[in-house]
Amino acid sequence: MRIIVEHGQTDPAPVVVTRTEEPVYRHEYKYLVSNAQLVILQTRIQGLMPPDPHAQYGHYNIRSLYFDDYHNSCYYANEFGLDHRAKYRIRIYNHSAERIQLELKRKDRGKTLKSACRITRSQAENLISGQPIRDASPNQTLLRDFRAAMLSAKLHPAVIVEYERFPFIYRAGNVRATFDTSVSSSSDFQSFFQPRINKRPILPAGMQLLEVKFDAFLPDAVYHSLQLDNLWQTAFSKYYLCRKYAL
């Protein structure tokens, strides 16, 4: 096991990373699609890629609370398109506190890496209130890392990102194709666990987001099923646009 404290000039904040094995970085391609294109693409891939079994009724709600420092370093790392970026977030599904995850998402040289650990509701509420956690268990390594970053970089809640996700999976290449709809932004941090929060949509009317994630390769069958005229890859960031509206 190696414990490394990274202070790269392009990192948004000091990030403490505990490494027990070689990290697996994934490719992540994003496309803005119209409602009509979304229907066509979903119809094409349904016979090829089964829905994620965790998606009851074919979709689920995702709500994430992102943290940033007082210099808005994470935001400006996106604004300037820096190649090395890292963001901490708390994530829940379907407005439920049954499964709460603290996650660290990194982007290096165009690829992404996500680390996660489960946390309790009381731990999450403390983090949202700006109180460092002192009761992290031995298996909550990422939580201890976050505490160190919180103390050194003064991380605090910056924005809530919420959307409905329609996920599909393909075993070869560990592929996930997800359609994210109703992407919204909120700064109602204290209501994070409430079923309804004050929020605003951030995508143009009639537009949604397609994300394609895979490990080493994208199978030809998946690639061809996702081809449409006027479909262009974008550097779209839900986090960035939600922060931009909030700022």
Side-chain angles (χ1 to χ4, degrees):
M1 176 185 296
R2 295 185 298 151
I3 300 180
I4 302 174
V5 181
E6 301 182 351
H7 294 270
Q9 191 174 38
T10 55
D11 282 335
V15 177
V16 183
V17 182
T18 303
R19 295 178 179 169
T20 57
E21 57 185 20
E22 286 299 315
V24 177
Y25 281 83
R26 284 167 61 78
H27 298 271
E28 184 175 278
Y29 296 159
K30 301 180 180 182
Y31 307 86
L32 280 176
V33 298
S34 67
N35 287 337
Q37 290 175 319
L38 183 147
V39 172
I40 293 172
L41 292 170
Q42 281 188 324
T43 302
R44 283 185 181 180
I45 69 173
Q46 282 175 348
L48 177 67
M49 302 175 68
D52 187 323
H54 295 98
Q56 191 176 20
Y57 308 115
H59 66 95
Y60 48 75
N61 176 276
I62 293 179
R63 182 182 291 173
S64 301
L65 188 155
Y66 287 83
F67 293 80
D68 205 346
D69 61 27
Y70 284 98
H71 300 290
N72 292 314
S73 300
C74 294
Y75 171 80
Y76 287 113
N78 274 95
E79 172 97 323
F80 300 141
L82 300 184
D83 196 37
H84 304 283
R85 304 199 289 268
K87 294 186 287 287
Y88 280 103
R89 67 193 180 197
I90 296 173
R91 172 166 287 188
I92 60 174
Y93 298 86
N94 295 324
H95 309 136
S96 172
E98 182 177 346
R99 177 188 174 192
I100 308 171
Q101 290 198 159
L102 174 66
E103 300 181 346
L104 170 64
K105 185 174 183 181
R106 299 182 61 89
K107 184 170 184 180
D108 295 293
R109 299 179 181 87
K111 296 182 180 181
T112 61
L113 175 68
K114 187 173 76 172
S115 307
C117 77
R118 296 280 290 271
I119 61 176
T120 67
R121 178 164 179 168
S122 63
Q123 288 173 331
E125 290 174 340
N126 283 345
L127 295 178
I128 293 171
S129 299
Q131 302 175 30
I133 299 300
R134 303 186 184 280
D135 62 343
S137 64
N139 64 340
Q140 291 181 310
T141 302
L142 186 62
L143 181 57
R144 296 197 299 272
D145 293 346
F146 178 76
R147 179 180 183 274
M150 192 176 189
L151 293 172
S152 62
K154 306 298 182 184
L155 298 182
H156 64 279
V159 73
I160 293 174
V161 179
E162 182 170 344
Y163 49 93
E164 297 293 324
R165 168 160 285 180
F166 295 78
F168 298 85
I169 57 175
Y170 194 82
R171 190 179 301 274
N174 190 22
V175 180
R176 284 178 62 84
T178 59
F179 297 91
D180 295 339
T181 67
S182 304
V183 183
S184 301
S185 168
S186 176
S187 57
D188 192 5
F189 306 132
Q190 296 305 316
S191 299
F192 182 70
F193 289 104
Q194 298 301 314
R196 296 181 181 276
I197 60 175
N198 296 318
K199 58 186 179 181
R200 62 175 295 179
I202 58 102
L203 287 179
M207 299 300 292
Q208 315 297 344
L209 181 66
L210 163 66
E211 294 187 359
V212 183
K213 304 172 186 177
F214 57 95
D215 290 347
F217 68 96
L218 182 64
D220 286 343
V222 177
Y223 172 80
H224 289 297
S225 70
L226 295 174
Q227 295 306 299
L228 283 179
D229 292 337
N230 302 319
L231 189 64
W232 302 99
Q233 185 178 348
T234 177
F236 183 92
S237 166
K238 293 188 289 289
Y239 162 81
Y240 172 72
L241 279 187
C242 286
R243 284 294 317 271
K244 189 172 183 178
Y245 277 104
L247 290 173

